[in-house]
């Protein structure tokens, strides 16, 4: 998206109402109004431009929510923040790929060393902010990756210790947390704290072959999506019988593959598209252009899945409905993406077997 287009969008009155909202109620209404405009633009502009606008909206909502939360803390008698802090996001928000129905994935990086004054402020602040975001329309993360949780709300010193612990344990759960952390992106507050966090993260995983293998081991988990004949496997039972899980069937495997390569080659980008650009410059894989096309096609399918409107806020299962799979063009694109995912998955499996043999 050009800087001119970005400027034009940021001047939209519904978008501007997010920035000027003074209460959770106002912020919720402003988000819904902005979201309505975005839905009207869906499929009228390139999907990468549309996703940029959606995630710009989410960032501005979070930034305004933080301002409102600080004011509420002051009113409640907690005073002003005792030190600098950074509000960070993970998951699809970290990759700037959040949909209109994405939930919370966030955390806090607090300046300096832990002390009782910081705990006295930031513990209730994290809880209040997560509650406020839920009120505005962001469901709480089932995996509890939120600033309300001590695991994701720490001083920089505590974060450095925690990241080191995750790097050295090499077990499924800490490696899963490390993979989640690799998508971290700064949204609000002190950007220097976020940069220092990122420096600690990337320096800690560089040139660490055993850690790289552990990350690869977590990455190769894959939901079967094609049968032996290359036919698409749809859900057999339940509410989504006959449908296809576009999120976990295609989107997540593509994200995982590109993330794995990016970590392997020391790429600091968190957006999948920016990671792809960097990998193409490095000529890592001759299929990168095909991967990019498959990723954009998958994103378009995902944001067009059926959704439910709850008082202006949306939710979706991320399943392509059975009737949607009768569209021949969609079915052809989906099958092509799935064949690509299968090739990538087999490539990762070969890499893992080779790495485990070297380290045995």
């Amino acid at each position: 998206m050009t800087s001119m287009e970005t400027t034009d969008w940021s001047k939209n009155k519904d978008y501007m109402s997010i920035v000027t909202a003074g209460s959770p109620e106002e912020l919720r209404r402003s988000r819904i109004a902005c979201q309505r405009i975005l839905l009207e633009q869906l499929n009228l502009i390139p999907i990468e431009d549309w996703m940029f606008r959606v995630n710009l909206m989410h960032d501005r909502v979070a930034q305004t929510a933080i301002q409102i939360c600080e004011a509420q803390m002051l009113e409640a008698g907690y005073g002003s923040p005792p030190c600098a802090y950074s509000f960070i996001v993970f998951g699809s928000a970290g990759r700037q790929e959040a949909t209109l129905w994405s939930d919370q994935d966030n955390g806090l990086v607090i300046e300096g060393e832990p002390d009782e004054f910081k705990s006295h402020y930031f513990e209730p602040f994290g809880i209040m902010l997560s509650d406020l975001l839920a009120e505005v329309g962001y469901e709480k993360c089932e995996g509890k990756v939120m600033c309300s949780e001590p695991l994701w709300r720490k001083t920089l010193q505590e974060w450095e210790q925690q990241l080191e612990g995750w790097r050295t344990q090499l077990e499924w759960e800490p490696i899963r947390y490390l993979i989640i952390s690799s998508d971290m992106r700064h949204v609000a507050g002190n950007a220097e704290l976020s940069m220092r966090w990122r420096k600690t993260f990337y320096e800690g995983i560089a040139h660490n072959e055993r850690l790289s293998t552990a990350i690869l081991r977590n990455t190769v988990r894959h939901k079967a999506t094609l049968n032996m004949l290359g036919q698409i496997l749809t859900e057999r039972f339940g509410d989504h019988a006959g449908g296809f899980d576009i999120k976990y069937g295609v989107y997540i495997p593509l994200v995982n593959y590109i993330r794995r390569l990016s970590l392997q080659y020391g790429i600091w980008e968190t957006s999948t598209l920016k990671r792809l650009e960097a990998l193409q410059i490095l000529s890592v894989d001759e299929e990168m252009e095909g991967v990019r096309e498959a990723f954009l096609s998958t994103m378009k399918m995902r944001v067009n899945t059926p959704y439910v409107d709850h008082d202006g806020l949306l939710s979706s299962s991320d399943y392509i409905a059975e009737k949607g799979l009768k569209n021949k063009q969609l079915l052809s694109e989906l099958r092509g993406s799935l064949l690509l995912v299968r090739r990538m998955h087999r490539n990762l499996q070969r890499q893992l077997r080779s790495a485990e043999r070297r380290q045995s």
Side-chain angles (χ1 to χ4, degrees):
M1 175 174 287
T2 66
S3 58
M4 180 66 72
E5 289 171 320
T6 302
T7 302
D8 289 345
W9 168 243
S10 65
K11 289 180 178 178
N12 176 281
K13 65 180 179 64
D14 294 304
Y15 172 84
M16 288 302 297
S17 70
I18 290 173
V19 179
T20 58
S23 69
E25 296 77 17
E26 284 183 25
L27 186 55
R28 179 186 173 98
R29 287 195 299 270
S30 297
R31 177 196 162 163
I32 291 171
C34 190
Q35 181 175 271
R36 193 175 297 118
I37 300 299
L38 288 164
L39 283 171
E40 292 173 358
Q41 296 172 347
L42 179 60
N43 300 321
L44 297 179
I45 61 176
I47 184 61
E48 56 267 48
D49 292 347
W50 189 80
M51 291 301 299
F52 177 87
R53 294 183 180 190
V54 169
N55 283 270
L56 188 63
M57 177 193 74
H58 290 318
D59 285 359
R60 296 300 180 264
V61 170
Q63 290 160 2
T64 303
I66 287 167
Q67 294 174 1
I68 294 171
C69 192
E70 283 193 10
Q72 290 179 335
M73 288 287 288
L74 189 62
E75 187 177 342
Y78 288 98
S80 299
C83 63
Y85 69 94
S86 169
F87 178 79
I88 55 178
V89 291
F90 305 97
S92 59
R95 297 187 301 272
Q96 293 179 289
E97 296 156 12
T99 64
L100 290 174
W101 45 80
S102 291
D103 62 3
Q104 294 187 45
D105 282 292
N106 53 55
L108 292 177
V109 183
I110 302 160
E111 185 180 35
E113 302 177 4
D115 62 45
E116 60 179 312
F117 299 105
K118 293 172 186 175
S119 297
H120 178 72
Y121 184 89
F122 286 107
E123 181 177 347
F125 176 79
I127 294 170
M128 189 180 294
L129 180 55
S130 183
D131 287 344
L132 197 158
L133 288 170
E135 186 178 349
V136 170
Y138 298 92
E139 287 191 12
K140 293 190 176 183
C141 173
E142 290 186 4
K144 297 187 181 298
V145 182
M146 296 178 292
C147 59
S148 56
E149 304 299 317
L151 192 68
W152 303 97
R153 183 191 67 245
K154 295 184 177 296
T155 65
L156 181 61
Q157 183 187 72
E158 290 172 315
W159 265 116
E160 290 170 345
Q161 293 169 351
Q162 178 161 277
L163 289 171
E164 182 181 6
W166 289 344
R167 289 195 303 265
T168 56
Q169 292 179 55
L170 302 183
E171 297 171 356
W172 177 264
E173 194 71 3
I175 294 299
R176 185 175 76 87
Y177 290 148
L178 206 62
I179 291 172
I180 291 171
S181 298
S182 68
D183 290 334
M184 187 279 268
R185 183 171 64 87
H186 173 83
V187 169
N190 188 299
E192 177 61 25
L193 284 172
S194 295
M195 182 54 67
R196 290 170 64 186
W197 188 104
R198 285 164 60 80
K199 188 172 184 289
T200 297
F201 178 87
Y202 285 102
E203 287 181 350
I205 64 173
H207 312 299
N208 188 330
E209 189 172 352
R210 288 195 174 275
L211 177 58
S212 179
T213 302
I215 291 172
L216 179 56
R217 192 176 295 117
N218 276 46
T219 302
V220 295
R221 279 207 170 186
H222 177 62
K223 179 178 181 179
T225 50
L226 292 171
N227 64 18
M228 296 295 291
L229 300 176
Q231 297 169 321
I232 296 172
L233 293 174
T234 56
E235 294 295 317
R236 296 180 60 191
F237 309 105
D239 295 338
H240 307 295
F244 182 82
D245 185 350
I246 190 69
K247 179 178 179 180
Y248 288 101
V250 190
Y251 170 68
I252 292 298
L254 287 171
V255 165
N256 288 347
Y257 182 71
I258 299 307
R259 183 198 291 117
R260 153 68 186 173
L261 288 178
S262 298
L263 292 175
Q264 185 179 358
Y265 286 90
I267 295 168
W268 284 35
E269 298 287 357
T270 57
S271 155
T272 301
L273 286 174
K274 290 180 180 178
R275 284 169 170 170
L276 276 165
E277 289 175 12
L279 290 167
Q280 284 180 296
I281 292 170
L282 294 174
S283 301
V284 168
D285 188 327
E286 61 184 17
E287 285 200 285
M288 281 299 106
E289 184 55 39
V291 173
R292 185 179 188 278
E293 291 176 6
F295 179 75
L296 290 174
S297 173
T298 299
M299 286 299 306
K300 191 167 185 176
M301 291 180 199
R302 188 182 178 205
V303 299
N304 278 285
T305 53
Y307 61 83
V308 178
D309 189 319
H310 303 277
D311 296 324
L313 299 171
L314 312 181
S315 64
S316 172
S317 65
D318 286 311
Y319 274 80
I320 300 174
E322 183 176 11
K323 65 178 181 180
L325 294 174
K326 294 178 181 178
N327 181 304
K328 290 184 179 180
Q329 181 179 346
L330 182 148
L331 198 61
S332 175
E333 290 181 11
L334 178 59
R335 188 171 180 277
S337 295
L338 290 172
L339 288 169
L340 177 62
V341 165
R342 185 162 69 179
R343 290 198 301 274
M344 293 189 309
H345 186 247
R346 288 173 176 172
N347 182 34
L348 291 179
Q349 288 178 315
R350 286 193 295 270
Q351 288 182 32
L352 180 59
R353 287 194 294 269
S354 176
E356 289 179 333
R357 281 196 299 270
R358 288 196 306 271
Q359 295 171 27
S360 62

